[in-house]
Amino acid sequence: MSLTKKPSTGMKDILPEEMRIRDYCISMIEKTYESFGFSHIETPCVEHIENLCSNQGGENEKLIFKVLKRGDKLNLEEAKCENDLVDSGLRYDLTLPLARYYSNNQAVLPAPFKALQMGNVWRAERPQKGRFRQFMQCDIDILGEPGNLAETELILATTTLLSKLDFKNFRVKINERKILKAMTEYAGFEADKTDAVFIILDKMDKIGVDGVKEDLIANGFSADAVEKYMGLFDEIKSLNDPTNIKALDYLNEKLSGIIEEGVIDNLKEIFVSVNTAKTAECELVFDPTLVRGMGYYTGTIYEVEMAELNCSVAGGGRYDKMIGKFTGNDTPACGFSIGFERIITIMLENGFKIPGENEKIAFLYEKGMDSERVGKIIKEASALRNEGKIVLVAKMNKNKKFQKETLMSQGYTEFKDFYVEELKN
Amino acid sequence: MSLTKKPSTGMKDILPEEMRIRDYCISMIEKTYESFGFSHIETPCVEHIENLCSNQGGENEKLIFKVLKRGDKLNLEEAKCENDLVDSGLRYDLTLPLARYYSNNQAVLPAPFKALQMGNVWRAERPQKGRFRQFMQCDIDILGEPGNLAETELILATTTLLSKLDFKNFRVKINERKILKAMTEYAGFEADKTDAVFIILDKMDKIGVDGVKEDLIANGFSADAVEKYMGLFDEIKSLNDPTNIKALDYLNEKLSGIIEEGVIDNLKEIFVSVNTAKTAECELVFDPTLVRGMGYYTGTIYEVEMAELNCSVAGGGRYDKMIGKFTGNDTPACGFSIGFERIITIMLENGFKIPGENEKIAFLYEKGMDSERVGKIIKEASALRNEGKIVLVAKMNKNKKFQKETLMSQGYTEFKDFYVEELKN
């Protein structure tokens, strides 16, 4: 077989320039989230196939990279389906592995447990521009905290981080799965079909209100229910409140008797705490159209939207029923994931300059220098390196001018030349 | 299928305490190597199967985790062997992916290119204590530098790093594949069988000189050649020079006419440069018994040995022929890989204390606090977090004493309590 230069289909090599921005981001993420008391942890990239295929991952389960069994020779003749050949796969997100991790290590972890994860995940999506089959995810989760202190801290930590990365004018949209459920019930959708309704409602930003209406009706839902549901949006809009806090009181009344007691008050408390504590230039907004795809959410859901770019850069929610599938005991859980790759893309497009980058100095020495003198030059470099400066020691090229220009394009701003002759004096 | 709590076979969950040491190490690695002018890069964890199976990986190729093809449905009936089902696998090291990366991106990379890689690799080894199927590797490589400035800088960067991580009294053992070849030729081994001889010689530290002798003879090599080869070691030993620099001159004479001109002088130059520049408490030693397993080495080879632990914590060498297999043009290449997992294990066993860790403060508030007051408490925490302090905001437990003791065991040294009553005043 001949060798292949390109990376594996849909994956990418990361060049030094992008890597510097990624490393800067990673260090800001660590510093910021750790200051909020989150502990950095890691799970293996490879996960049991039975965990990956346990209906916690929605559409992503179709995209799993499966890993061939090792050890005994594979029995290809008797294998009837893919899963006879595999016992593991690459993780498609960090949430399911976290639930496994927590159930495995609960006894030695603090309660509540605040986890920070940064790691690659893999999805075998059709390769397309800007979408990769391996990409970094970066999640914070609070496990074991039933109250809205979890949501408040997650939102504040995420917005503080984004603001430190120079993001401004973003909005945190928040909603509640229980409000969505109550709204569908109020409108007259069958209670056992809410999941199907949510999947269609989730397309709102892609196909618009009219598209969603058509889609719902095409899927056999009653036109009356559809009209009544969408009517709520018009009524909320007419309240003319940009952050939609008024809509919460409106819905509390409208859904009274249907919605679980305290759900809307809980959301209002999050607004008060976040708005009192927040330092980032951002706005918290109640968005009744927000659904978020994953089936595992049980309560609050939220997303960070960049107003100027009209895209989401972070999202999360409460999923109180996932850990119980491992342990048998439900554990409150709430997470916020930033779109690491999208953030990097935006920073690269904006020509983000890393603040306080180290000084870069190049020591160039003439060819033919004896090895003791080379050692002394490197020793001189070491002293500067020890002060935190970046010092490249290299042989001088014939075309020194071109060499220096190239080094300047790599950020070297200072040069020191060493000639064989100097030594003789 | 029921869910599994344990990690995938042979892999491990990393707990917060270990992760702190890992993160500290990673940041020291980045800082130190970047100060030497190395650029951090990344390749995908998944690599083309034809690259992984191209005889660059020695024994490791038997241990590849193979990834099932995606896209079209697998044709299980017609598949005759594993490789009919796969087109990629998990990388087993970082060297082969680096050679592919360089051949793919050469046009936009500096020349010479100094690369730093930190990433997981996977090997399906038989699970055993302390050996994992997923582990971190950390490599520095200099590509495009034919001279011994490459070796000198790699050795100085690695020893500087180890010394910053508080390792002392270690030895850098160095040898040259060309010396090894000349020694086997001198002893009378057939020139086309040196690879087989090297594999056996590499067992020296496991089975001793006598074991190696027996093994060579059992494999059909002449007893005369074996005796003559081993005799060289006795002669070198009799020179009574702990760093074996005298042995270099001795071999230069002994192997004259067999060994390529300049090989031993090149090694001596490395000694002079390294010994002039080095700042770490370590010793460079010529070790004629050092072989290093990988078949791809073409020149110098080296290893860092911890005297007290009698184990190797880093290793590398020159491999001038690998990149040419991708590009058609040989490119000088030289690397040094630290045994990241072993280093972490040693640091954990030694109870390594991270210098200058951030202050950890816990804000505990009584239950029943209203959400505005919670917001104000978090805002007070934010100010401290912004100063680099770690502040946990948590609800007070009924047993506050126990809660504080637990937090103290997690490193929280300062506490501030907030009561509902205080607000009323």
Side-chain angles (χ1 to χ4, degrees), chain B residues 15 26 54 84 115-116 127 184 194 202 222 224 234 238 242 257 291 295 326 334 336 346 351 361 372 383 409 420 422:
Chain B
L15 292 170
I26 287 171
S54 63
D84 291 339
L116 159 63
T184 52
T194 44
D202 195 26
S222 90
D224 279 358
D234 293 333
S238 72
V291 178
F326 283 94
C334 205
F336 214 152
I346 297 171
I361 306 160
E372 195 189 332
S409 76
V420 175
E422 281 184 337

Coordinates of all heavy atoms in Angstrom, one line a residue, chain B residues 15 26 54 84 115-116 127 184 194 202 222 224 234 238 242 257 291 295 326 334 336 346 351 361 372 383 409 420 422:
Chain B
L15 N -8.8 11.1 37.6 CA -9.4 11.9 38.7 C -8.8 13.3 38.8 O -7.7 13.5 38.4 CB -9.3 11.1 40.0 CG -10.1 9.8 40.0 CD1 -9.7 8.9 41.2 CD2 -11.6 10.1 40.0
I26 N 1.9 19.5 31.6 CA 1.6 20.0 30.2 C 2.0 21.4 30.1 O 2.6 21.8 29.1 CB 0.1 19.7 29.9 CG1 -0.1 18.2 29.7 CG2 -0.3 20.5 28.6 CD1 -1.5 17.8 29.5
S54 N 2.5 0.5 7.6 CA 3.6 0.6 6.6 C 4.9 0.3 7.1 O 5.9 0.8 6.5 CB 3.5 2.1 6.0 OG 3.8 3.0 7.1
D84 N -10.5 -5.6 5.1 CA -11.6 -5.3 4.1 C -12.7 -4.5 4.8 O -13.5 -3.9 4.1 CB -12.2 -6.6 3.6 CG -11.2 -7.4 2.7 OD1 -10.3 -6.8 2.2 OD2 -11.4 -8.6 2.6
A115 N 8.9 20.8 15.9 CA 7.5 20.5 16.3 C 7.4 20.0 17.7 O 8.3 19.2 18.2 CB 7.0 19.5 15.4
L116 N 6.4 20.4 18.4 CA 6.0 19.8 19.7 C 4.6 19.2 19.6 O 3.7 19.8 19.1 CB 5.9 21.0 20.8 CG 5.1 20.7 22.0 CD1 5.7 19.5 22.8 CD2 5.0 21.9 23.0
P127 N -4.0 -6.1 28.9 CA -4.1 -5.2 30.1 C -3.2 -5.7 31.2 O -3.3 -6.9 31.5 CB -5.6 -5.2 30.4 CG -6.2 -5.7 29.2 CD -5.3 -6.6 28.5
T184 N 28.9 -4.6 14.7 CA 28.5 -5.9 14.2 C 29.3 -6.4 13.0 O 29.7 -7.5 13.0 CB 27.0 -5.9 13.8 OG1 26.7 -4.9 12.9 CG2 26.1 -5.8 15.1
T194 N 21.9 -7.3 10.4 CA 22.0 -6.5 11.5 C 20.7 -6.2 12.3 O 20.7 -6.1 13.5 CB 22.7 -5.1 11.1 OG1 22.1 -4.6 10.0 CG2 24.2 -5.3 10.9
D202 N 19.0 -5.5 21.9 CA 18.1 -4.6 22.6 C 17.6 -5.2 23.9 O 17.0 -4.5 24.8 CB 16.9 -4.2 21.7 CG 16.2 -3.0 22.2 OD1 16.8 -2.2 22.9 OD2 15.0 -2.9 21.9
S222 N 27.1 -16.9 14.7 CA 28.4 -17.6 15.0 C 28.9 -17.2 16.4 O 28.8 -16.0 16.8 CB 29.4 -17.4 14.0 OG 30.2 -16.3 14.3
D224 N 31.8 -17.1 17.4 CA 33.0 -16.2 17.3 C 32.5 -14.7 17.2 O 33.1 -13.9 17.9 CB 33.7 -16.5 16.0 CG 34.6 -17.7 16.2 OD1 34.7 -18.2 17.3 OD2 35.3 -18.1 15.2
D234 N 33.9 -5.4 27.1 CA 34.9 -5.6 28.2 C 36.0 -4.6 28.0 O 36.5 -4.0 29.0 CB 35.4 -7.0 28.1 CG 34.3 -8.0 28.5 OD1 33.4 -7.6 29.2 OD2 34.4 -9.2 28.0
S238 N 37.2 -1.6 30.5 CA 38.5 -1.5 31.1 C 39.1 -0.2 31.0 O 40.2 0.2 31.6 CB 39.4 -2.6 30.5 OG 39.7 -2.2 29.1
P242 N 33.7 6.8 33.3 CA 32.2 6.7 33.6 C 31.4 7.3 32.5 O 30.3 6.8 32.2 CB 32.1 7.6 34.9 CG 33.4 8.0 35.3 CD 34.4 7.6 34.3
G257 N 38.1 2.2 9.1 CA 38.0 1.5 7.8 C 36.6 0.8 7.7 O 36.2 0.5 6.6
V291 N 20.4 0.3 22.1 CA 20.0 -0.1 20.8 C 18.7 0.7 20.4 O 18.6 1.2 19.3 CB 19.7 -1.6 20.6 CG1 19.2 -2.0 19.3 CG2 21.0 -2.4 20.9
G295 N 12.8 0.2 14.3 CA 13.6 0.0 13.1 C 13.9 1.2 12.3 O 14.8 1.2 11.4
F326 N 7.0 9.3 2.4 CA 5.8 10.0 2.0 C 6.1 11.0 0.8 O 5.2 11.1 -0.1 CB 5.3 10.9 3.2 CG 4.6 10.1 4.3 CD1 5.3 9.7 5.4 CD2 3.3 9.9 4.2 CE1 4.7 8.9 6.4 CE2 2.6 9.2 5.2 CZ 3.3 8.7 6.3
C334 N 14.8 14.2 13.5 CA 15.4 13.8 14.8 C 14.4 14.1 15.9 O 13.8 15.2 15.9 CB 16.7 14.7 14.9 SG 17.9 14.0 16.0
F336 N 12.8 13.5 20.2 CA 12.9 13.1 21.6 C 11.6 13.0 22.2 O 10.8 14.0 22.2 CB 13.8 14.1 22.3 CG 14.7 13.5 23.4 CD1 15.9 14.1 23.7 CD2 14.4 12.3 24.0 CE1 16.8 13.5 24.7 CE2 15.2 11.7 25.0 CZ 16.4 12.3 25.3
I346 N 5.7 8.8 38.6 CA 6.8 9.1 39.5 C 6.5 10.4 40.4 O 6.6 10.4 41.6 CB 8.2 9.4 38.8 CG1 8.6 8.1 38.1 CG2 9.3 9.9 39.7 CD1 9.8 8.2 37.1
G351 N 4.7 12.4 45.7 CA 3.9 13.5 46.3 C 4.2 14.8 45.9 O 4.3 15.8 46.7
I361 N -10.9 29.4 48.2 CA -11.8 30.0 49.2 C -13.2 29.4 48.9 O -13.6 29.2 47.8 CB -11.9 31.5 49.0 CG1 -10.4 32.1 49.0 CG2 -12.8 32.1 50.1 CD1 -10.4 33.5 48.4
E372 N -31.5 37.4 44.7 CA -30.7 38.6 44.5 C -29.5 38.5 45.4 O -28.4 38.9 44.9 CB -31.6 39.8 44.8 CG -30.9 41.1 44.3 CD -31.6 42.3 44.7 OE1 -32.8 42.3 45.0 OE2 -30.8 43.4 44.8
A383 N -15.2 38.9 41.9 CA -14.1 39.8 42.1 C -12.8 39.0 42.5 O -11.7 39.3 42.0 CB -14.4 40.8 43.1
S409 N -10.0 19.1 52.9 CA -9.3 18.0 52.2 C -9.2 18.2 50.7 O -8.3 17.6 50.1 CB -10.0 16.7 52.5 OG -11.1 16.5 51.7
V420 N -28.9 33.9 56.1 CA -30.1 34.7 55.7 C -30.3 35.9 56.7 O -30.6 37.0 56.2 CB -31.4 33.7 55.7 CG1 -32.6 34.5 55.4 CG2 -31.2 32.6 54.7
E422 N -28.3 37.8 58.4 CA -27.5 38.9 58.2 C -28.1 39.9 57.2 O -27.9 41.1 57.4 CB -26.1 38.5 57.6 CG -25.2 37.9 58.6 CD -23.8 37.6 57.9 OE1 -23.8 37.4 56.7 OE2 -22.9 37.5 58.7

